[in-house]
């Protein structure tokens, strides 16, 4: 976290979510404060490989690893809960600074039993409740539950597709947390809206893919189902613009 001057406050932590080795390098080059490491960002992010985690950790930047075994709903059965807990233990062994997890019950409320198990598995690692909270019926109640479970952070868009559109809810979540955990604003965060988002919500951490359009896959890969259109790649220049926008807001 870098210090701000004129307003006497520190600039917000900039977390960049990446899904591959090139993204890790871009995050380092662009000046990210922390990496959220995933695979399959086009599916909302799944658990990354052990080798990719090790590569990210080797950069010296704090790494929070996504632990999500599949796409789809956040309702996990007993086998999946056990698998997530096992993955958390392995992420700790690989040197990750934290893990990013979530679990819901049918109907959308937090699965506090599963989340407590994940907290226990994480031990001294940071643990983040991911955007599963954005599909809960009562995000403020979910904040209170996460605080009670000992979670360190919540990643949220305020229940909207873009954090800028959910800013009012994010601000209420920050107020509900009362400093017991950190609320991270994420989804659609860019250099053009990040400063206003921080001011409107009171968050001290922001999350972005900082991505640009990647190359289109070849037609054969698409036809065979090996690829999807619209894949994006992490951009060091986009990260730098985000970094600059955050820094300028505290000068």
């Amino acid at each position: 976290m870098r210090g701000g001057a004129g307003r006497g406050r520190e600039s917000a932590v900039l977390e960049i979510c990446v899904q591959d080795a090139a993204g890790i390098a871009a995050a380092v080059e662009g000046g990210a404060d922390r990496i959220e490491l995933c695979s399959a960002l086009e599916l909302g992010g799944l658990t990354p490989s052990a080798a990719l985690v090790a590569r990210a950790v080797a950069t010296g930047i704090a790494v929070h690893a996504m632990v999500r075994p599949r796409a789809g709903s956040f309702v996990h059965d007993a086998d999946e809960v056990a698998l997530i807990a096992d993955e958390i233990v392995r992420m700790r062994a690989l040197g990750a600074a934290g893990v990013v997890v979530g679990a819901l019950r049918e109907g959308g409320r937090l699965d506090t039993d599963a989340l407590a198990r994940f907290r226990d598995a994480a031990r001294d690692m940071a643990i983040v409740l991911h955007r599963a909270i954005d599909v809960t019926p009562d995000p403020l109640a979910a904040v209170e539950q996460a605080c009670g479970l000992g979670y360190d952070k919540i990643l949220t868009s305020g229940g909207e597709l873009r954090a800028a559109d959910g800013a009012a809810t994010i601000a209420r979540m920050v107020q509900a947390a009362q400093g017991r955990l950190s609320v991270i604003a994420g989804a659609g965060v860019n250099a053009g809206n990040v400063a206003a988002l921080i001011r409107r919500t009171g968050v001290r951490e922001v999350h972005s893919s900082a991505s640009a359009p990647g190359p289109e896959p070849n037609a054969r890969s698409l036809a065979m189902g090996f690829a999807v259109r619209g894949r994006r790649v992490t951009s060091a220049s986009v990260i730098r613009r985000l970094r600059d926008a955050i820094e300028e807001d505290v000068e």
Side-chain angles (χ1 to χ4, degrees):
M1 185 187 296
R2 296 161 173 80
R7 300 184 188 179
R9 62 179 172 86
E10 292 184 315
S11 62
V13 170
L14 176 58
E15 176 180 86
I16 301 297
C17 58
V18 306
Q19 64 180 342
D20 52 29
I24 293 169
V28 173
E29 181 183 347
D33 293 310
R34 185 172 66 232
I35 290 171
E36 185 197 76
L37 192 65
C38 310
S39 65
L41 281 176
E42 65 273 14
L43 299 175
L46 302 178
T47 307
S49 71
L52 192 64
V53 175
R55 177 169 296 202
V57 168
T59 67
I61 296 177
V63 175
H64 286 179
M66 175 69 72
V67 182
R68 183 179 173 220
R70 56 161 175 78
S73 82
F74 301 113
V75 178
H76 297 293
D77 63 21
D79 286 341
E80 289 178 335
V81 169
L83 177 63
I84 292 168
D86 194 27
E87 290 276 20
I88 291 169
V89 172
R90 282 160 171 72
M91 294 302 179
R92 189 175 72 246
L94 287 165
V99 288
V100 184
V101 298
L104 302 178
R105 300 188 188 280
E106 296 290 351
R109 297 191 181 277
L110 296 187
D111 184 340
T112 53
D113 292 337
L115 294 173
R117 183 169 177 181
F118 302 159
R119 172 70 273 182
D120 289 344
R123 297 174 60 181
D124 57 346
M125 279 196 300
I127 189 163
V128 184
L129 175 59
H130 61 46
R131 291 186 59 207
I133 198 170
D134 287 328
V135 295
T136 59
D138 188 343
L140 300 187
V143 168
E144 191 62 37
Q145 289 178 309
C147 289
L149 290 166
Y151 274 60
D152 300 290
K153 304 177 190 294
I154 290 172
L155 172 63
T156 182
S157 65
E160 302 292 341
L161 290 177
R162 299 168 67 251
D165 298 326
T169 298
I170 296 172
R172 289 194 292 270
M173 294 168 76
V174 171
Q175 292 169 356
Q178 297 181 324
R180 291 172 293 170
L181 54 71
S182 179
V183 177
I184 310 168
V189 176
N190 57 52
N193 63 24
V194 66
L197 181 65
I198 292 168
R199 289 193 298 268
R200 290 179 64 195
T201 62
V203 297
R204 304 309 311 144
E205 305 187 48
V206 292
H207 169 103
S208 175
S209 66
S211 60
E216 281 295 306
N218 66 57
R220 183 63 172 162
S221 293
L222 284 170
M224 295 293 289
F226 299 145
V228 296
R229 292 191 183 279
R231 181 177 172 86
R232 298 179 65 85
V233 296
T234 312
S235 167
S237 63
V238 173
I239 297 171
R240 283 193 293 270
R241 289 197 292 272
L242 267 165
R243 175 87 275 157
D244 289 346
I246 292 169
E247 296 295 337
E248 287 170 6
D249 189 50
V250 296
E251 291 179 354

